[in-house]
Each structure stands twice: as C-alpha cells, then as structure tokens.
Amino acid sequence: MALPDLDTSVGHSFGLEFDGVVIKQITEVTGLKMEQDVIELKQNTSDGKYVIKKLPGRPKAGEVTLTRGLTADQSFEKWIKDSRFGKMGDSRKGGAIIVFDYEGNAIKRYTLVNAWPKSLEIGSLKAGDTSVLTEKVVLTYESMDVA
C-alpha cells in the first residue's frame, strides 16, 4: 500500500540489496545522487540576438557511502578484496537502496548499476570510549535508476 498523496516517507526505513542479497544492519546511506553534464549551446537567432541554451549531457558516475556497525560479517571485506586484486567481473554488482513506508512496503528503489567498493574506513578506536565502532564503505557506480 503506497502512501497517501500528501504523506512523505521518513529516512529511517530503508534496506540494501545487491545481486539479490539483502545487506543488513546499515545505519546510514549518504551521497546518493543522480547527476549529468550540462552542454551550453551558444548561437545567434535569425534576428542576430545571442542566445545560450542549456542541454542535457552525459550522465555522471556517482558515489554513495554506506555506514554500519562493525560486525563479524566479512561481506564488505571480501567485496573490497575482489576489486583490489582486479577481479572486476566479481566486483561490479547491481544493487538497490530501497525506501519503505510505515507498513514495510517498498515505495522507492534507487538502483545502482555496476557498483563496486572504492574504500573502507573504520571508525575511531579510543580507549575508554563506549560508542559503537562503525565501518564505512564508499561504493562507486556507473549509473543510477529511480523507480
């Protein structure tokens, strides 16, 4: 059941799926955007006036950062190792970030094409700290589709 026309979704109900595998315990997704080049067409009209028209250009590749609490799950590390050692056939994956409504129904799907991990960052290790240790993975992707 979709949201009524005037309702909006909240940012805390989302999931992640890559090649059919649901990746759990993601706490934050940042940097998700779709962008393209702009082409400026400069020309003169028939009456001699100078006009600039802006046209859509090529789509740009993007990057998204996924954050989760550090666990024993090795899926990110294996994915990163595959890309570091040139196994790009195994590394490039299709996936989606899915936004859910209050009832758990998918209302928006951001599909990433040929995504692969660019970097892994572990949160700060500090003596006496009681905060959750996190890992951040930056994925680069060739294109994004919204459905």
Side-chain angles (χ1 to χ4, degrees):
M1 177 176 174
L3 293 171
D5 288 339
L6 299 176
D7 272 349
T8 59
S9 183
V10 292
H12 68 75
S13 187
F14 60 92
L16 203 64
E17 179 181 288
F18 275 89
D19 284 341
V21 177
V22 177
I23 300 174
K24 299 177 181 176
Q25 300 176 339
I26 298 295
T27 58
E28 185 177 9
V29 176
T30 58
L32 189 62
K33 70 177 181 176
M34 192 182 319
E35 191 176 9
Q36 67 187 46
D37 289 329
V38 175
I39 299 169
E40 284 192 1
L41 176 62
K42 299 172 184 175
Q43 60 187 9
N44 289 333
T45 61
S46 59
D47 59 349
K49 292 183 181 175
Y50 178 70
V51 178
I52 298 176
K53 290 187 179 184
K54 295 196 176 206
L55 305 170
R58 288 182 280 191
K60 292 184 179 182
E63 292 183 353
V64 62
T65 302
L66 310 175
T67 305
R68 72 174 182 181
L70 187 67
T71 66
D73 180 24
Q74 298 289 313
S75 58
F76 281 168
E77 289 83 356
K78 181 186 179 320
W79 197 8
I80 289 169
K81 282 181 185 175
D82 286 346
S83 67
R84 285 187 69 189
F85 294 116
K87 297 180 182 176
M88 294 313 287
D90 296 333
S91 296
R92 293 182 198 274
K93 297 187 183 297
I97 296 163
I98 308 151
V99 179
F100 300 101
D101 66 9
Y102 288 103
E103 296 175 345
N105 301 311
I107 58 170
K108 189 74 81 165
R109 178 178 291 265
Y110 301 95
T111 303
L112 307 179
V113 177
N114 287 333
W116 55 274
K118 173 184 150 180
S119 67
L120 172 67
E121 177 184 343
I122 307 303
S124 299
L125 301 169
K126 188 189 310 185
D129 191 10
T130 59
S131 62
V132 174
L133 188 59
T134 61
E135 61 182 349
K136 291 183 181 184
V137 174
V138 177
L139 299 180
T140 184
Y141 54 91
E142 293 175 5
S143 66
M144 180 174 73
D145 297 318
V146 181

